[in-house]
Amino acid sequence: HYLNYIVIAIFTVVFAVMSFSGSLTSSTIYLLEKIAIAVLLAVSLSVVVGFLGELSLGHAGFMCIGAYLGGKTAVVLEPLLGEWPTLFISLIVGGVVAAVFGMIIGLPALRLRGDYLAIVTLAFGEIVRSVFMNSSKESFGGSLGLDTPRFDKDILFVVAFLMVLATLAVTQNLIRSKHGRAITAIRDNEIAARATGIDVTKYKL
């Protein structure tokens, strides 16, 4: 279980040293940021699809809402607070907003199962994309996207991979806990899980 942490930590340290020594190009650094974000998405999606067994296709929609609202927070706060405080506040705002929308969409959507749940969550993702694409330039940038402050590119990918390590830790500890056992029990047999007293709706949500 610790091999994942060791590999990611070594990977992060090696590329951080290369970045600080000037050995990495800007395109490589940008790619590393994208890789970290994709890993975060995959790890979080594995909780819903892998451990819970629900086919949700709206994950990118929640990520999109969090990114846009976190980005908007950065636009407002960066002139007031500076670079790094703004970054961490924006991360918290993005996560909280995504979670709130997850609750709002989850309550009605989780009454559905299988293909129906997949279709509803896919539609949600498309609605989110359309709303932001058709927003005004002053609000969320419209079709060109939101113009946000660019944090120090030599360090930002390191922060992103530290977030990956934190997400892995939270996910693995969740799955090993009694809550994780309840989640996997629902995946294996929802009727049996409900019969043993597990609050299926709560854990799905």
Side-chain angles (χ1 to χ4, degrees):
H1 290 295
Y2 293 105
L3 183 61
N4 295 333
Y5 301 105
I6 294 170
V7 169
I8 294 172
I10 292 172
F11 180 90
T12 305
V13 170
V14 168
F15 278 100
V17 170
M18 292 175 67
S19 175
F20 297 145
S21 65
S23 303
L24 295 180
T25 63
S26 294
S27 59
T28 303
I29 292 172
Y30 184 67
L31 178 62
L32 288 169
E33 290 176 13
K34 292 293 186 184
I35 289 171
I37 292 169
V39 172
L40 284 169
L41 181 63
V43 171
S44 57
L45 185 60
S46 72
V47 175
V48 179
V49 178
F51 294 109
L52 180 61
E54 293 290 344
L55 183 56
S56 170
L57 301 179
H59 220 64
F62 298 118
M63 193 175 188
C64 178
I65 289 177
Y68 264 98
L69 272 295
K72 193 66 175 179
T73 302
V75 170
V76 174
L77 294 183
E78 201 268 342
L80 303 174
L81 301 179
E83 190 173 277
W84 291 105
T86 298
L87 174 61
F88 290 110
I89 292 172
S90 300
L91 287 173
I92 292 168
V93 169
V96 169
V97 168
V100 168
F101 274 88
M103 295 278 287
I104 293 169
I105 300 302
L107 280 170
L110 287 174
R111 298 176 184 275
L112 306 171
R113 295 181 185 176
D115 296 343
Y116 298 104
L117 177 62
I119 291 167
V120 168
T121 52
L122 179 62
F124 166 74
E126 283 299 305
I127 290 168
V128 169
R129 187 183 68 84
S130 297
V131 167
F132 285 121
M133 287 283 286
N134 292 290
S135 64
S136 66
K137 184 172 177 56
E138 294 74 27
S139 58
F140 291 104
S143 59
L144 295 178
L146 181 63
D147 187 15
T148 59
R150 186 66 172 94
F151 299 100
D152 188 345
K153 63 182 177 61
D154 295 326
I155 302 176
L156 187 59
F157 79 89
V158 177
V159 175
F161 277 103
L162 291 176
M163 292 294 295
V164 169
L165 287 171
T167 305
L168 274 174
V170 169
T171 303
Q172 290 191 344
N173 280 295
L174 169 67
I175 297 306
R176 291 175 189 162
S177 69
K178 68 174 185 177
H179 303 296
R181 289 192 291 273
I183 290 169
T184 51
I186 293 168
R187 177 197 64 195
D188 294 337
N189 192 320
E190 184 176 326
I191 296 173
R194 198 184 297 276
T196 57
I198 293 173
D199 188 339
V200 171
T201 302
K202 183 183 82 170
Y203 282 109
K204 282 188 176 185
L205 193 57

